[in-house]
Structures are given as C-alpha cells and as structure tokens.
Amino acid sequence: MNKNATKAEEEWRKELTPEQFGVLREHGTEPAFTGKHHDRKEGGTYLCAGCKAELFSSVAKFDSGTGWPSFWAPKCKESIATQEDTSHFMKRTEVHCARCGGHLGHAFSDGPKPTGLRYCINSASLEFRKDQNDEEKDISR
C-alpha cells in the first residue's frame, strides 16, 4: 500500500468518529442496512473518510441487497489496494484506500457487468461529494 497519508493512531482518533476509526483503522464492519450511504441515489463521488481520496463514482454504484454500498468498479484502479483476508474462517479480498491504508470493506466476484465484481464498502469509511452539474441524478437500478 502506498500510505502517503500516514498518521499516528492518536491523530486518526482525533480526526475520525469512533465508528470511522473502528472501520478504517481497526478493520471493523458496520451492521448491514445501518450506514448512511447504503441506499444513497444521488450522483457524485465517494471519498475516503480518512484522507479524502476519490474512491468510487455513483455511476458504478448498484443495489446488491446486502445492506452496504456496493460498486462494480473503483473510480480509478490505483485508488484502492487489496489483500487476502482469511479472518472469520473465510477467504475474502479485503479492500483498502491506497493512499492512507484505511479498511474500506471487501470485494467479491458476484457483481454485475461489466466487471462482475462487487466492492462491498462500509458507509463509515466513506464521505460523499454530490455532483455539481447534476443535482438530482438518480442512479437507482
């Protein structure tokens, strides 16, 4: 991981909410259907809540029915990093912010076309920036 936005643990604790810290820095997961972005439909960009890197576009967001924001691709493949996660007796692909190393969620191979991928991301790890040009773009599918 290219950790260009590295900070000491105490700096992260001061800047993030307890929930954001638990997800981004301690690899936690928010309960399904509780995050503020799981059913968001506006057009815009999802940023890392830790370092504000652009991670996902609403254009690639879809309703996976899982209760977490799901995307079929990152905004730019260099914005995320992945690694194997074998915790909880499962083999999964963990997704991180490439800039700060914050835990975002997991990627699975059961997503829609064109990639066939589902990036299942915690709302707590994201901030949303609404499109300036398209205030009411509805991305629901």
Side-chain angles (χ1 to χ4, degrees):
M1 272 175 254
N2 181 9
K3 295 184 183 178
N4 292 328
T6 58
K7 299 177 185 181
E9 182 176 340
E10 284 309 308
E11 288 179 86
W12 286 119
R13 281 192 190 279
K14 287 178 187 175
E15 293 179 17
L16 301 171
T17 68
E19 182 183 33
Q20 288 172 326
F21 185 85
V23 170
L24 285 164
R25 309 316 310 168
E26 298 180 316
H27 303 264
T29 301
E30 67 202 10
F33 301 101
T34 64
K36 62 185 174 182
H37 301 302
H38 87 275
D39 61 356
R40 181 182 293 275
K41 298 192 180 8
E42 297 129 318
T45 301
Y46 292 85
L47 314 172
C48 175
C51 70
K52 312 308 181 244
E54 292 188 352
L55 301 174
F56 298 96
S57 169
S58 61
V59 173
K61 189 172 189 281
F62 69 100
D63 183 0
S64 65
T66 62
W68 290 279
S70 296
F71 305 87
W72 48 263
K75 187 161 184 165
C76 173
K77 65 181 180 179
E78 291 80 21
S79 65
I80 63 164
T82 60
Q83 69 182 44
E84 186 176 291
D85 175 7
T86 57
S87 64
H88 306 289
F89 307 104
M90 293 182 272
K91 185 177 179 182
R92 304 180 288 177
T93 301
E94 187 171 6
V95 180
H96 298 270
C97 172
R99 183 186 294 163
C100 71
H103 170 76
L104 303 172
H106 291 86
F108 302 94
S109 60
D110 61 358
K113 292 180 180 181
T115 65
L117 297 174
R118 172 174 54 96
Y119 291 89
C120 191
I121 307 298
N122 289 285
S123 285
S125 67
L126 300 172
E127 289 185 5
F128 181 74
R129 183 179 64 217
K130 195 172 189 175
D131 276 347
Q132 300 301 315
N133 301 338
D134 229 357
E135 287 202 19
E136 293 301 320
K137 185 188 293 180
D138 186 343
I139 57 138
S140 59
R141 296 181 187 164

